[in-house]
Amino acid sequence: MRHTPAVRGDDRRRRFEDIYHTNCTPILGYALRRTTNGEDAADVVAETFLTAWRRLDDVPPGDETKLWLYGVARRVLANYHRGERRKTELSERLSRDLALVHTDPGYTGRLALVATAFRSLSEADRELLALVGWEGLDHGEISAVFGCSRNAVRIRLHRARTRFAEAVGRSESNSPPEATGKFEATGKFEATGQLKGIGPAHLNVMNGDRA
C-alpha cells in the first residue's frame, strides 16, 4: 500500500536520509536487544533501511515511520534467524562502529532470574513484552507493528504478562532466596517493567533458545 506520493531524484534521497537519521538509533536499539552481538545487529539495521529505500513510497509519514520500520526489522530478524544474511556496505560500517562501543553485560541476582524466565517464554510472548518493556510502545503502536487490532494486542499482552509472571515464580522457586531476593508472582507483578535492566547477551530473545 502506498502511503506517500512518489518522489524521485534529490527529493527521494533527502526523504530517505531524514528517515535514516531520525530512526537509526531506535532501530539499532531494537536490533541490539534481539541479537547476540553488534555485527549481527548491524546486518539487521542495514537490511531494514535497505528495504525502506527500496519501498520508500510505501513508508508512512510522521510517527508511523518508526512503527513501519519496527515491522520491517521483525521480518528481517525472522529471515536472519533462518540463516538468510546479507552483507552490505552499511552493515560493515555499523559493525566496525559497534565493535568500538558495544559490550554485552553479564547478569546476576534478580536480573539473572528475570532473564531465565524471559528465555523460557515463546518467541511471540518475548516480542510482545519486549516491545512494551524495551521500545516503550503502547497498544496502538504495537498493533501497527504486528498488523492486528488493539484488542488483540491487549489480550495477547495480558496473557504474555501472566505467563512471564508465572515463569519468574518458577525461576524463583528454583533459586536460593539469598542469591536472588524474592519476586511476588501475583497480580501486582509488572512483568514488562522487569525487562528494563536486561539486554541481549543474557536473553538471546529471538534465537529460539529455551531455558
Side-chain angles (χ1 to χ4, degrees):
M1 180 183 298
R2 178 164 294 180
H3 293 273
T4 60
V7 291
R8 292 293 182 268
D10 291 342
D11 290 341
R12 182 179 180 85
R13 181 173 295 276
R14 280 193 294 270
R15 179 165 187 252
F16 175 78
E17 289 175 350
D18 181 63
I19 289 171
Y20 178 81
H21 290 301
T22 301
N23 296 284
C24 184
T25 296
I27 298 304
L28 177 57
Y30 178 96
L32 282 170
R33 289 185 286 265
R34 291 160 175 82
T35 53
T36 56
N37 58 69
E39 181 179 356
D40 293 344
D43 290 345
V44 171
V45 172
E47 187 66 22
T48 297
F49 282 101
L50 178 61
T51 300
W53 169 255
R54 289 173 172 171
R55 298 179 55 194
L56 191 59
D57 295 339
D58 296 330
V59 180
D63 293 340
E64 294 182 7
T65 300
K66 182 171 64 176
L67 303 179
W68 188 90
L69 290 169
Y70 280 147
V72 172
R74 283 187 67 237
R75 292 187 288 275
V76 171
L77 276 163
N79 291 336
Y80 165 79
H81 290 301
R82 287 196 294 266
E84 300 173 15
R85 300 179 60 183
R86 289 196 295 177
K87 287 290 184 181
T88 67
E89 182 179 349
L90 176 59
S91 69
E92 295 284 3
R93 178 170 62 82
L94 286 172
S95 294
R96 291 192 297 270
D97 292 345
L98 288 170
L100 299 176
V101 300
H102 177 65
T103 57
D104 288 328
Y107 299 101
T108 58
R110 290 189 173 187
L111 289 181
L113 184 151
V114 174
T116 297
F118 194 67
R119 285 200 310 271
S120 73
L121 300 176
S122 69
E123 181 177 315
D125 281 353
R126 294 197 307 267
E127 180 66 358
L128 267 173
L129 294 170
L131 286 172
V132 175
W134 289 339
E135 277 68 51
L137 302 190
D138 61 27
H139 291 184
E141 291 168 329
I142 294 174
S143 71
V145 174
F146 274 56
C148 63
S149 70
R150 287 171 179 257
N151 189 54
V153 169
R154 181 183 61 79
I155 294 171
R156 291 166 62 184
L157 186 56
H158 172 75
R159 292 171 177 170
R161 281 172 166 156
T162 299
R163 286 189 284 265
F164 189 23
E166 292 170 348
V168 169
R170 288 192 297 272
S171 294
E172 178 192 47
S173 67
N174 293 326
S175 302
E178 64 274 14
T180 63
K182 282 289 183 179
F183 283 117
E184 292 185 7
T186 69
K188 296 180 180 180
F189 180 83
E190 179 50 52
T192 52
Q194 303 296 331
L195 297 182
K196 295 186 182 297
I198 299 293
H202 205 89
L203 295 182
N204 293 324
V205 296
M206 294 294 286
N207 68 1
D209 287 353
R210 293 293 183 269

